Amino acid sequence: GVSPRLTSDFEATPGRGVRAQCEGEAILVGNAALLEEAGIACGALQTRADEFAAQGKTPVFVAQGNRCVALFAIADRPRAGAREAIALLHRLGMKTVMCTGDVEAAARHVAHEVGIDEVIARATPADKLALVERLKSEGHKVGMIGDGINDAPALKQASVGVAMGSGTDVALETADAAILRDRVTDIPATIRLSRAAMANIRQNVTIALGLKAVFLVTSVFCLTGLWIAILADTGATVLVTLNALRLLRFNPERVG
């Protein structure tokens, strides 16, 4: 039974919230930083917002004109398998960092729940991008996992950007890879499979070049004939093919 009012001059501020004009009055909906930029005090609602944040919820303020008039909270539930995925990443020797636009208390609550190493809260898309660039400048290989519009710049800049299958079109188009089943545990599984594939490639290159080098030397010193060398070359092809086929039995979800 509510009739929505017409608005104009709609503007979205990444990492902050939205604002618009409604019947000549400014309406703001977003986090405390958005209100602070507009010079609006949260007043008594700030105490309640702190309580929401301590419970792992993200407080969202509503301002009308120059007054803060309402507050509600959004609760982010960790994806199923998130804690297991983080534990698997740690076993693979990786450090995990959560960079989010949520308030620090809510971010730390979720990070503690799933076991993430480091938290960077109240981050804008530019902050996420700057974090990736800083880590890369320090010599780290950075894998960025995201699903939102705000994650797109960092996904593009990361060494490897991975988007969740349920993410926005922008994130999916920007990322290097996508987890189509939308299971967080597929992230460490993909890393294990990639490492196994690269190890297999190195083995195959070593086998192929090694056999060629051996028979090149023996042929030069007339220890083997041309036909033996040709058969050895064909044998190398068979060996590397059989070695590559071992990956069919590889289980990327099992960390041994």
Side-chain angles (χ1 to χ4, degrees), residues 189-250:
T190 301
I191 294 170
R192 290 196 69 243
L193 180 59
S194 300
R195 289 181 175 180
M198 287 304 301
N200 193 283
I201 290 170
R202 293 188 187 97
Q203 293 165 7
N204 287 344
V205 170
T206 302
I207 291 171
L209 294 181
L211 281 174
K212 290 180 186 296
V214 168
F215 282 94
L216 174 63
V217 172
T218 56
S219 297
V220 168
F221 289 97
C222 299
L223 299 175
T224 57
L226 179 61
W227 287 107
I228 297 296
I230 293 173
L231 289 174
D233 183 68
T234 304
T237 302
V238 173
L239 285 175
V240 298
T241 302
L242 291 175
N243 188 45
L245 287 174
R246 292 190 307 111
L247 288 174
L248 294 176
R249 301 179 59 186
F250 182 78

Side-chain angles (χ1 to χ4, degrees), residues 132 136 142-146 151-164 170-180 190:
V132 171
K136 289 182 68 176
V142 183
M144 169 72 184
I145 298 100
D151 299 322
L155 285 170
K156 181 68 174 177
Q157 186 63 27
S159 306
V160 178
V162 180
M164 302 304 295
V170 174
L172 288 168
E173 291 173 5
T174 304
D176 300 299
I179 304 297
L180 298 181
T190 301

Side-chain angles (χ1 to χ4, degrees), residues 18-19 33 68 83 92 107 110-111 116 127 149 216 229 237-238 247:
V18 297
R19 67 181 75 207
C68 183
R83 187 173 186 85
L92 291 171
V110 174
I116 290 174
D127 294 331
I149 295 174
L216 174 63
T237 302
V238 173
L247 288 174

Side-chain angles (χ1 to χ4, degrees), residues 28 33-41 66:
L28 284 74
L34 181 68
L35 271 64
E36 290 172 5
E37 291 173 359
I40 301 173
N66 59 357

Side-chain angles (χ1 to χ4, degrees), residues 13-234:
T13 304
R16 295 287 188 266
V18 297
R19 67 181 75 207
Q21 291 290 325
C22 181
E23 298 181 356
E25 204 167 30
I27 306 294
L28 284 74
V29 181
N31 57 22
L34 181 68
L35 271 64
E36 290 172 5
E37 291 173 359
I40 301 173
C42 300
L45 290 177
Q46 184 61 57
T47 301
R48 184 59 175 153
D50 293 339
E51 294 175 2
F52 280 142
Q55 297 168 9
K57 302 172 183 177
T58 299
V60 180
F61 295 91
V62 180
Q64 182 177 359
N66 59 357
R67 297 179 300 112
C68 183
V69 296
L71 168 70
F72 60 94
I74 301 170
D76 286 330
R77 294 182 179 179
R79 290 176 182 263
R83 187 173 186 85
E84 179 186 356
I86 296 300
L88 289 172
L89 289 173
H90 289 160
R91 291 180 65 179
L92 291 171
M94 296 188 172
K95 179 182 178 181
T96 53
V97 180
M98 182 171 72
C99 190
T100 174
D102 291 337
V103 295
E104 187 163 350
R108 291 195 177 280
H109 178 87
V110 174
H112 176 74
E113 191 173 341
V114 300
I116 290 174
D117 297 320
E118 184 180 342
V119 176
I120 298 174
R122 297 185 71 168
T124 64
D127 294 331
K128 296 179 181 182
L129 177 61
L131 172 64
V132 171
E133 291 176 339
R134 177 175 63 81
L135 291 173
K136 289 182 68 176
S137 68
E138 294 172 356
H140 300 291
K141 292 182 179 178
V142 183
M144 169 72 184
I145 298 100
D147 60 3
I149 295 174
N150 291 345
D151 299 322
L155 285 170
K156 181 68 174 177
Q157 186 63 27
S159 306
V160 178
V162 180
M164 302 304 295
S166 61
T168 61
D169 291 341
V170 174
L172 288 168
E173 291 173 5
T174 304
D176 300 299
I179 304 297
L180 298 181
R181 293 192 297 180
D182 211 36
R183 299 192 318 185
V184 186
T185 49
D186 282 350
I187 296 169
T190 301
I191 294 170
R192 290 196 69 243
L193 180 59
S194 300
R195 289 181 175 180
M198 287 304 301
N200 193 283
I201 290 170
R202 293 188 187 97
Q203 293 165 7
N204 287 344
V205 170
T206 302
I207 291 171
L209 294 181
L211 281 174
K212 290 180 186 296
V214 168
F215 282 94
L216 174 63
V217 172
T218 56
S219 297
V220 168
F221 289 97
C222 299
L223 299 175
T224 57
L226 179 61
W227 287 107
I228 297 296
I230 293 173
L231 289 174
D233 183 68
T234 304

